[in-house]
Amino acid sequence: MGHNDVADILSDLEALANERRPDDALLGSLLPQYYSELPDDDADDRRRDDLYAAGAAHLQLGRRRQPGEILVQMLSPELERDGWHSPHSVLLFITEDMPFLVDTVRLVLDRHDLGIHLLVHPTLSIERDADGVLTGIDAHTPSTAGTSVIEAWTQIELDRCDPAIHAAVERDVVAAIAEVHLVVDDFVDMQALLLAVAGDDALLSWLATEHLVMLAS
């Protein structure tokens, strides 16, 4: 399918949000940005309700978040219980955007033998108030009451799995993302230490300038 088809899906999702939740402007604002890089093969009218429901669930997860907090939720939606159904399970998480994030979570899913069917990984400019409540999405319409932060809102469709393992997957994903936070937070200090001891050593200088991932201080 072509780019016009993706654009049509994004427009339809925004209209669907405005129709179903006319008092929730955040949902209509979120969905077109959230799915802006949706693969062409997944821009299918038959999936519109699933895409809408997953995006709405992600917004519910992210309504309140404190700086540094890692939000993770695993879903295996059933129509009668949840109001929507997917043939897959869905992993949702929100954190500050950072390197290594998706690859690290992939490793966790591999350990649980869960195959990936769709990856949605937008980085969004998010406005929150002092209590962490979401007030705006996109730096073009910032809220004067909050501070803009670039957050990664990631949705991964997985092999359908027993809800009994949801808690284990959520726990492992939180732990893995926390480790990524530590690596990224330590990187600048570790790089400075390596450069300080490198002196005239060409190899150490080469390693320190973005050719080595340093994992701890």
Side-chain angles (χ1 to χ4, degrees):
M1 302 183 72
H3 294 294
N4 288 336
D5 297 300
V6 175
D8 288 344
I9 292 294
L10 299 182
S11 178
D12 288 347
L13 288 172
E14 183 176 9
L16 197 59
N18 293 333
E19 173 188 332
R20 294 183 179 178
R21 297 192 185 177
D23 297 328
D24 188 357
L26 287 174
L27 183 57
S29 175
L30 170 68
L31 292 179
Q33 299 176 75
Y34 182 78
Y35 287 115
S36 62
E37 297 182 6
L38 186 71
D40 288 352
D41 290 345
D42 290 289
D44 188 323
D45 284 335
R46 292 169 300 177
R47 288 177 49 83
R48 186 182 70 162
D49 284 341
D50 288 352
L51 294 173
Y52 168 84
H58 215 159
L59 177 61
Q60 185 61 32
L61 176 65
R63 291 280 186 186
R64 183 188 296 267
R65 176 181 172 274
Q66 297 299 327
E69 186 177 6
I70 302 165
L71 302 178
V72 179
Q73 184 178 22
M74 184 86 163
L75 304 171
S76 292
E78 294 286 357
L79 185 61
E80 292 185 359
R81 181 189 64 209
D82 304 301
W84 66 292
H85 174 76
S86 171
H88 305 125
S89 293
V90 180
L91 174 67
L92 306 172
F93 62 87
I94 303 169
T95 185
E96 282 85 0
D97 185 41
M98 65 191 75
F100 317 124
L101 190 58
V102 172
D103 288 341
T104 300
V105 173
R106 283 180 185 271
L107 293 175
V108 173
L109 300 177
D110 285 345
R111 291 201 297 270
H112 285 276
D113 294 321
L114 294 172
I116 295 175
H117 299 273
L118 174 67
L119 172 64
V120 177
H121 180 61
T123 54
L124 303 173
S125 180
I126 296 295
E127 296 279 343
R128 297 184 182 276
D129 66 16
D131 295 321
V133 175
L134 182 62
T135 58
I137 303 167
D138 193 334
H140 297 298
T141 55
S143 167
T144 57
T147 300
S148 178
V149 175
I150 302 301
E151 296 181 354
W153 288 50
T154 306
Q155 174 198 147
I156 305 178
E157 281 191 3
L158 305 164
D159 294 337
R160 185 83 179 188
C161 61
D162 190 324
I165 76 165
H166 285 191
V169 174
E170 290 171 353
R171 182 180 62 249
D172 291 349
V173 169
V174 168
I177 293 175
E179 290 181 356
V180 175
H181 275 264
L182 291 175
V183 170
V184 172
D185 290 345
D186 281 353
F187 183 82
V188 173
D189 289 341
M190 289 293 293
Q191 185 181 50
L193 286 171
L194 184 55
L195 285 169
V197 301
D200 295 329
D201 190 311
L203 176 59
L204 287 180
S205 296
W206 180 82
L207 288 171
T209 53
E210 301 181 9
H211 294 95
L212 178 68
V213 176
M214 293 162 280
L215 298 179
S217 60

